[in-house]
Amino acid sequence: MRVVLKNRTEADVRIYYEKAQQPEIKEMLPQEAKSVEEAVAAYRKTLLPGSTSCGHTIYADDEYVGDIWCYCINRGETPNAMLSFCIFEKAYWNRGITSKAVSLFLKEIHDRYELETIGAFTFSDNFSSQQVLAKNGFQLMEEFIEDGRKSRYYQLRF
């Protein structure tokens, strides 16, 4: 299966927001935006100079299946960022697409932002995300409770 990352557009953000409202996704991926308008406004901020986030769409065999992004990009003394990803098309779950997309994205953002580390949070029961992170070299750094739910923090040193 061919996995490609493409630049996000406002139309993609609208599609992603609606698709990510599926209960199985909302349960594993809390979203800051409470409306499609908020999601579009957040996307527009990523286009501004000095933005601290960026993202791409994920395509599998020419079909738009999800998004990947980094946020809290810090170009300070120890350049770092946070990673998030989601495949919203259930027919593409557990097929290696996310692992490949993360690999492609990590190469790009490491070079673009000269990152030393990147972190990722996941709920402790989100085994699929944990597998993706492990396949891409992330190490479990911490387990904790957030909003009453067991969570994990992973980190990758480039």
Side-chain angles (χ1 to χ4, degrees):
M1 180 166 303
R2 191 171 71 97
V3 177
V4 177
L5 302 181
K6 295 184 180 183
N7 291 328
R8 294 171 85 205
T9 67
E10 191 170 307
D12 296 326
V13 172
R14 292 177 182 282
I15 292 166
Y16 175 82
Y17 180 83
E18 294 304 324
K19 296 270 190 174
Q21 299 310 301
Q22 298 171 75
E24 299 93 332
I25 293 173
K26 286 185 80 162
E27 180 181 338
M28 294 296 173
L29 184 67
Q31 294 184 29
E32 195 171 306
K34 302 298 181 211
S35 68
V36 71
E37 291 79 18
E38 283 184 30
V40 168
Y43 161 74
R44 288 178 180 156
K45 286 182 182 180
T46 70
L47 303 176
L48 299 174
S51 173
T52 60
S53 69
C54 74
H56 288 307
T57 55
I58 302 169
Y59 279 75
D61 290 341
D62 299 319
E63 184 175 345
Y64 175 32
V65 298
D67 281 26
I68 187 166
W69 61 97
C70 63
Y71 59 98
C72 295
I73 300 168
N74 178 348
R75 296 180 179 175
E77 190 174 315
T78 305
N80 60 69
M82 296 298 296
L83 174 71
S84 198
F85 47 82
C86 176
I87 301 294
F88 56 71
E89 290 297 342
K90 295 175 195 172
Y92 290 91
W93 287 3
N94 301 310
R95 295 179 64 187
I97 295 163
T98 311
S99 293
K100 177 65 175 171
V102 168
S103 176
L104 293 169
F105 191 68
L106 289 174
K107 288 175 188 163
E108 177 187 329
I109 62 170
H110 173 255
D111 294 344
R112 182 174 174 186
Y113 297 107
E114 299 177 345
L115 299 175
E116 291 183 26
T117 65
I118 187 162
F121 289 103
T122 184
F123 292 123
S124 294
D125 59 347
N126 189 341
F127 303 114
S128 293
S129 287
Q130 292 168 37
Q131 275 190 305
V132 167
L133 295 170
K135 285 180 182 178
N136 280 281
F138 283 77
Q139 300 294 315
L140 175 62
M141 304 301 287
E142 180 182 2
E143 294 183 285
F144 55 95
I145 304 291
E146 184 164 322
D147 297 328
R149 196 158 172 196
K150 289 184 181 180
S151 300
R152 293 179 169 199
Y153 172 69
Y154 289 82
Q155 187 178 66
L156 172 70
R157 289 200 166 282
F158 289 101

